Amino acid sequence: MRVAFICSEFEGLLKTGGLADATRGLAKALQQAGHAVQIIMPRYGALYGISCTPEWQSLYFNLGTQTYGCAVRHTVVDDIPVALIEHHQFFQRPRPYDDGEQPYPDNLERFAMFCKAALEYLAQQTDPIDIVHGHDWQSALASCYLKEMYHGALLNSKFVLTVHNAAYQQGFGRHELALLGLSHWQLPAELPTTLLALGLWQADAVNTVSPGYRDELLSEPAANGLSALYQQKQRHFRGILNGCDYSRWNPATDFSLFARYDAGDLAGKTLCKAELRRQTQLPESTAPLFVSVSRVTGQKGFSLLIPALQRFLTDTTAQVVVMGTGEQQFIQPLRQLEQQFPQQFRLLEGFDEPLSHQVEAAGDFFLMPSLFEPCGLNQIYSLRYGTVPLVRATGGLKDTVVGLSARAATGIVFSEPTVDALSDALQQALALYQNKRKYRSVQQRGMAQVFDWQQASAAYQDFYQSTLSA
Ligand code: ADP
Ligand code: GLC
């Protein structure tokens, strides 16, 4: 099959979260399975430094009342061809979606132009495209444009939309439809006016990134107002669990680590823990080290975690290292925890790929008490790194981590989104850590889990095939 991803992130080029890991991991696995995969993404300011081939294409097209011109530059990541849509005014900015505090006010025009440009580019290729695969709201409009505007070149192409996160939708007002090149009468009156809703409405098939989250999206509040649309798509709406790229996430071969290790010999993991303590100036301790690498947002459960840690760090000698960037409403109290518990708590503000691997490897436990989680990759990475995940039973977390009450336990799972339930889970972790034999067996079982992209890509291939033959 010839498959084109229209996406806003790709690991190795631009990443704000797991979307980038997912687009790269899936593209690679599909390519290895013999399909011709290409990536189309914006050329953000951060990408002006990367090398592109000298040849480039120019595109001119109309959208609504506007005429746009942009260039398409070409590069290659991990043997996968990437086309970068260049439009200085829209994309040559330091950050992809916001100025650090507020979303850019012209996101609607930016991503509408991106979607149209991506299809213009595909329409010019001589070989037909089988699957145009969009990811999240940023590419959702391409489904409408494909249906409305490309009856020639892309007549037989099907549009698949993957919802990585249903909470981000990019709303608009009906008066802005003209800006998107759409007219009032085309839209069902009851359709919510968000880009994600438009994508769900027009896509030939829709999936999300875990079976658990798929089921949650059939009702509110998880669907964020779009449950009716997910229900309408039900027959063509799948939950396909993300994978892990074990060539990049393997403690036995990970050269960003201070020392390497595997399930048979964990000495290197002990060295990684000692090194992180040294780097962060946390004292040596026999108490467990809890870690987290996360976007610091409401989704990730910081409203529960901060008060629970306040209690936990007061009552115990456990240590916690949190790495992340995000919302000030959570960053400020995390900074306060650091002041209040200088021997026990560190906030590593920022994101750095090698350091994220080091933190992942150093922990005894990985904290992921998300309020909702479409799939989650960090708990999958932490399983492989022997860092026992502590998660809330939601979405993909529920699908990937088995709680202590089961014989096949791989982590600690709690259900209620309350500070008490999380506090209780933290105490369970402490008790587990004190029972060395039991801790080891949970850890070993976790390290043996396999959630690879080969399995996921086989499910996507089946999904593509049934979409093409529908
Ligand atoms: P989400 O996509 O919701 O953030 P996932 O667990 O699916 O959650 O994926 C997280 C991925 O993003 C991991 O590779 C993690 O290391 C990375 N990551 C975490 N925090 C940040 C951040 N602040 N900036 C960029 N990447 C981050
Ligand atoms: C989103 C979700 C996360 C998922 C990732 C990749 O960012 O929040 O749960 O793992 O996309 O699909």
PDB file of all heavy atoms in Angstrom, residues 147-164:
ATOM      1  N   LYS A 147     -12.585  14.791   0.399  1.00  0.00           N
ATOM      2  CA  LYS A 147     -13.921  14.443  -0.105  1.00  0.00           C
ATOM      3  C   LYS A 147     -14.484  15.505  -1.051  1.00  0.00           C
ATOM      4  O   LYS A 147     -15.150  15.199  -2.017  1.00  0.00           O
ATOM      5  CB  LYS A 147     -14.905  14.281   1.071  1.00  0.00           C
ATOM      6  CG  LYS A 147     -14.611  13.103   1.950  1.00  0.00           C
ATOM      7  CD  LYS A 147     -15.047  11.797   1.265  1.00  0.00           C
ATOM      8  CE  LYS A 147     -14.234  10.618   1.734  1.00  0.00           C
ATOM      9  NZ  LYS A 147     -14.395  10.312   3.143  1.00  0.00           N
ATOM     10  N   GLU A 148     -14.205  16.773  -0.742  1.00  0.00           N
ATOM     11  CA  GLU A 148     -14.839  17.864  -1.474  1.00  0.00           C
ATOM     12  C   GLU A 148     -14.060  18.311  -2.709  1.00  0.00           C
ATOM     13  O   GLU A 148     -14.639  18.789  -3.659  1.00  0.00           O
ATOM     14  CB  GLU A 148     -14.998  19.089  -0.552  1.00  0.00           C
ATOM     15  CG  GLU A 148     -15.951  18.880   0.603  1.00  0.00           C
ATOM     16  CD  GLU A 148     -17.382  18.693   0.117  1.00  0.00           C
ATOM     17  OE1 GLU A 148     -17.751  19.335  -0.876  1.00  0.00           O
ATOM     18  OE2 GLU A 148     -18.101  17.881   0.733  1.00  0.00           O
ATOM     19  N   MET A 149     -12.750  18.227  -2.637  1.00  0.00           N
ATOM     20  CA  MET A 149     -11.951  18.968  -3.625  1.00  0.00           C
ATOM     21  C   MET A 149     -11.023  18.120  -4.479  1.00  0.00           C
ATOM     22  O   MET A 149     -10.360  18.645  -5.354  1.00  0.00           O
ATOM     23  CB  MET A 149     -11.103  20.033  -2.908  1.00  0.00           C
ATOM     24  CG  MET A 149     -11.908  20.974  -2.041  1.00  0.00           C
ATOM     25  SD  MET A 149     -10.827  21.951  -0.986  1.00  0.00           S
ATOM     26  CE  MET A 149     -12.009  22.809   0.044  1.00  0.00           C
ATOM     27  N   TYR A 150     -10.913  16.818  -4.210  1.00  0.00           N
ATOM     28  CA  TYR A 150      -9.900  16.036  -4.932  1.00  0.00           C
ATOM     29  C   TYR A 150     -10.495  14.819  -5.630  1.00  0.00           C
ATOM     30  O   TYR A 150      -9.978  13.719  -5.522  1.00  0.00           O
ATOM     31  CB  TYR A 150      -8.759  15.640  -3.974  1.00  0.00           C
ATOM     32  CG  TYR A 150      -7.946  16.843  -3.570  1.00  0.00           C
ATOM     33  CD1 TYR A 150      -8.289  17.577  -2.447  1.00  0.00           C
ATOM     34  CD2 TYR A 150      -6.887  17.281  -4.362  1.00  0.00           C
ATOM     35  CE1 TYR A 150      -7.589  18.710  -2.100  1.00  0.00           C
ATOM     36  CE2 TYR A 150      -6.168  18.419  -4.028  1.00  0.00           C
ATOM     37  CZ  TYR A 150      -6.530  19.131  -2.896  1.00  0.00           C
ATOM     38  OH  TYR A 150      -5.836  20.258  -2.569  1.00  0.00           O
ATOM     39  N   HIS A 151     -11.571  15.040  -6.343  1.00  0.00           N
ATOM     40  CA  HIS A 151     -12.227  13.908  -6.997  1.00  0.00           C
ATOM     41  C   HIS A 151     -11.403  13.333  -8.132  1.00  0.00           C
ATOM     42  O   HIS A 151     -11.627  12.218  -8.567  1.00  0.00           O
ATOM     43  CB  HIS A 151     -13.622  14.321  -7.481  1.00  0.00           C
ATOM     44  CG  HIS A 151     -14.539  14.619  -6.342  1.00  0.00           C
ATOM     45  ND1 HIS A 151     -15.723  15.271  -6.460  1.00  0.00           N
ATOM     46  CD2 HIS A 151     -14.404  14.367  -5.026  1.00  0.00           C
ATOM     47  CE1 HIS A 151     -16.304  15.399  -5.278  1.00  0.00           C
ATOM     48  NE2 HIS A 151     -15.505  14.864  -4.400  1.00  0.00           N
ATOM     49  N   GLY A 152     -10.443  14.108  -8.625  1.00  0.00           N
ATOM     50  CA  GLY A 152      -9.598  13.599  -9.704  1.00  0.00           C
ATOM     51  C   GLY A 152      -8.478  12.743  -9.161  1.00  0.00           C
ATOM     52  O   GLY A 152      -8.599  11.522  -9.014  1.00  0.00           O
ATOM     53  N   ALA A 153      -7.404  13.405  -8.805  1.00  0.00           N
ATOM     54  CA  ALA A 153      -6.157  12.710  -8.472  1.00  0.00           C
ATOM     55  C   ALA A 153      -6.261  11.761  -7.284  1.00  0.00           C
ATOM     56  O   ALA A 153      -5.613  10.735  -7.248  1.00  0.00           O
ATOM     57  CB  ALA A 153      -5.074  13.749  -8.205  1.00  0.00           C
ATOM     58  N   LEU A 154      -7.082  12.109  -6.320  1.00  0.00           N
ATOM     59  CA  LEU A 154      -7.111  11.287  -5.103  1.00  0.00           C
ATOM     60  C   LEU A 154      -8.457  10.567  -4.952  1.00  0.00           C
ATOM     61  O   LEU A 154      -8.855  10.212  -3.838  1.00  0.00           O
ATOM     62  CB  LEU A 154      -6.810  12.167  -3.875  1.00  0.00           C
ATOM     63  CG  LEU A 154      -5.438  12.871  -3.910  1.00  0.00           C
ATOM     64  CD1 LEU A 154      -5.304  13.878  -2.765  1.00  0.00           C
ATOM     65  CD2 LEU A 154      -4.294  11.869  -3.843  1.00  0.00           C
ATOM     66  N   LEU A 155      -9.099  10.341  -6.097  1.00  0.00           N
ATOM     67  CA  LEU A 155     -10.445   9.763  -6.092  1.00  0.00           C
ATOM     68  C   LEU A 155     -10.550   8.481  -5.267  1.00  0.00           C
ATOM     69  O   LEU A 155     -11.499   8.271  -4.522  1.00  0.00           O
ATOM     70  CB  LEU A 155     -10.868   9.484  -7.543  1.00  0.00           C
ATOM     71  CG  LEU A 155     -12.250   8.865  -7.716  1.00  0.00           C
ATOM     72  CD1 LEU A 155     -13.324   9.861  -7.262  1.00  0.00           C
ATOM     73  CD2 LEU A 155     -12.482   8.475  -9.173  1.00  0.00           C
ATOM     74  N   ASN A 156      -9.556   7.621  -5.411  1.00  0.00           N
ATOM     75  CA  ASN A 156      -9.648   6.323  -4.729  1.00  0.00           C
ATOM     76  C   ASN A 156      -8.922   6.269  -3.394  1.00  0.00           C
ATOM     77  O   ASN A 156      -8.844   5.214  -2.776  1.00  0.00           O
ATOM     78  CB  ASN A 156      -9.113   5.218  -5.644  1.00  0.00           C
ATOM     79  CG  ASN A 156      -9.986   5.077  -6.878  1.00  0.00           C
ATOM     80  OD1 ASN A 156     -11.217   5.119  -6.772  1.00  0.00           O
ATOM     81  ND2 ASN A 156      -9.371   4.978  -8.044  1.00  0.00           N
ATOM     82  N   SER A 157      -8.390   7.396  -2.956  1.00  0.00           N
ATOM     83  CA  SER A 157      -7.683   7.397  -1.668  1.00  0.00           C
ATOM     84  C   SER A 157      -8.696   7.410  -0.533  1.00  0.00           C
ATOM     85  O   SER A 157      -9.700   8.116  -0.586  1.00  0.00           O
ATOM     86  CB  SER A 157      -6.805   8.634  -1.539  1.00  0.00           C
ATOM     87  OG  SER A 157      -5.970   8.769  -2.661  1.00  0.00           O
ATOM     88  N   LYS A 158      -8.409   6.633   0.511  1.00  0.00           N
ATOM     89  CA  LYS A 158      -9.291   6.636   1.682  1.00  0.00           C
ATOM     90  C   LYS A 158      -8.618   7.412   2.807  1.00  0.00           C
ATOM     91  O   LYS A 158      -7.389   7.393   2.935  1.00  0.00           O
ATOM     92  CB  LYS A 158      -9.546   5.206   2.159  1.00  0.00           C
ATOM     93  CG  LYS A 158     -10.258   4.349   1.141  1.00  0.00           C
ATOM     94  CD  LYS A 158     -11.706   4.758   1.005  1.00  0.00           C
ATOM     95  CE  LYS A 158     -12.422   3.813   0.050  1.00  0.00           C
ATOM     96  NZ  LYS A 158     -13.754   4.257  -0.274  1.00  0.00           N
ATOM     97  N   PHE A 159      -9.460   8.045   3.623  1.00  0.00           N
ATOM     98  CA  PHE A 159      -8.910   8.835   4.726  1.00  0.00           C
ATOM     99  C   PHE A 159      -9.144   8.127   6.051  1.00  0.00           C
ATOM    100  O   PHE A 159     -10.281   7.831   6.422  1.00  0.00           O
ATOM    101  CB  PHE A 159      -9.545  10.231   4.770  1.00  0.00           C
ATOM    102  CG  PHE A 159      -8.820  11.158   5.715  1.00  0.00           C
ATOM    103  CD1 PHE A 159      -7.775  11.965   5.261  1.00  0.00           C
ATOM    104  CD2 PHE A 159      -9.151  11.205   7.069  1.00  0.00           C
ATOM    105  CE1 PHE A 159      -7.086  12.804   6.122  1.00  0.00           C
ATOM    106  CE2 PHE A 159      -8.463  12.041   7.935  1.00  0.00           C
ATOM    107  CZ  PHE A 159      -7.430  12.851   7.464  1.00  0.00           C
ATOM    108  N   VAL A 160      -8.053   7.870   6.755  1.00  0.00           N
ATOM    109  CA  VAL A 160      -8.119   7.258   8.081  1.00  0.00           C
ATOM    110  C   VAL A 160      -7.677   8.319   9.092  1.00  0.00           C
ATOM    111  O   VAL A 160      -6.667   8.986   8.885  1.00  0.00           O
ATOM    112  CB  VAL A 160      -7.174   6.038   8.139  1.00  0.00           C
ATOM    113  CG1 VAL A 160      -6.975   5.570   9.563  1.00  0.00           C
ATOM    114  CG2 VAL A 160      -7.723   4.906   7.275  1.00  0.00           C
ATOM    115  N   LEU A 161      -8.455   8.475  10.153  1.00  0.00           N
ATOM    116  CA  LEU A 161      -8.085   9.447  11.189  1.00  0.00           C
ATOM    117  C   LEU A 161      -7.789   8.724  12.493  1.00  0.00           C
ATOM    118  O   LEU A 161      -8.619   7.951  12.992  1.00  0.00           O
ATOM    119  CB  LEU A 161      -9.238  10.446  11.408  1.00  0.00           C
ATOM    120  CG  LEU A 161      -8.980  11.521  12.474  1.00  0.00           C
ATOM    121  CD1 LEU A 161      -7.865  12.475  12.046  1.00  0.00           C
ATOM    122  CD2 LEU A 161     -10.255  12.325  12.754  1.00  0.00           C
ATOM    123  N   THR A 162      -6.608   8.962  13.042  1.00  0.00           N
ATOM    124  CA  THR A 162      -6.290   8.417  14.357  1.00  0.00           C
ATOM    125  C   THR A 162      -6.424   9.520  15.402  1.00  0.00           C
ATOM    126  O   THR A 162      -5.831  10.596  15.253  1.00  0.00           O
ATOM    127  CB  THR A 162      -4.855   7.846  14.390  1.00  0.00           C
ATOM    128  OG1 THR A 162      -4.783   6.770  13.459  1.00  0.00           O
ATOM    129  CG2 THR A 162      -4.511   7.316  15.775  1.00  0.00           C
ATOM    130  N   VAL A 163      -7.235   9.229  16.416  1.00  0.00           N
ATOM    131  CA  VAL A 163      -7.420  10.188  17.518  1.00  0.00           C
ATOM    132  C   VAL A 163      -6.436   9.809  18.627  1.00  0.00           C
ATOM    133  O   VAL A 163      -6.616   8.815  19.319  1.00  0.00           O
ATOM    134  CB  VAL A 163      -8.868  10.147  18.040  1.00  0.00           C
ATOM    135  CG1 VAL A 163      -9.052  11.126  19.195  1.00  0.00           C
ATOM    136  CG2 VAL A 163      -9.850  10.449  16.918  1.00  0.00           C
ATOM    137  N   HIS A 164      -5.389  10.599  18.751  1.00  0.00           N
ATOM    138  CA  HIS A 164      -4.408  10.340  19.816  1.00  0.00           C
ATOM    139  C   HIS A 164      -4.858  10.979  21.115  1.00  0.00           C
ATOM    140  O   HIS A 164      -4.438  10.561  22.186  1.00  0.00           O
ATOM    141  CB  HIS A 164      -3.033  10.881  19.418  1.00  0.00           C
ATOM    142  CG  HIS A 164      -2.422  10.161  18.250  1.00  0.00           C
ATOM    143  ND1 HIS A 164      -1.534   9.136  18.393  1.00  0.00           N
ATOM    144  CD2 HIS A 164      -2.615  10.308  16.909  1.00  0.00           C
ATOM    145  CE1 HIS A 164      -1.175   8.682  17.194  1.00  0.00           C
ATOM    146  NE2 HIS A 164      -1.833   9.378  16.277  1.00  0.00           N
TER     147      HIS A 164
END
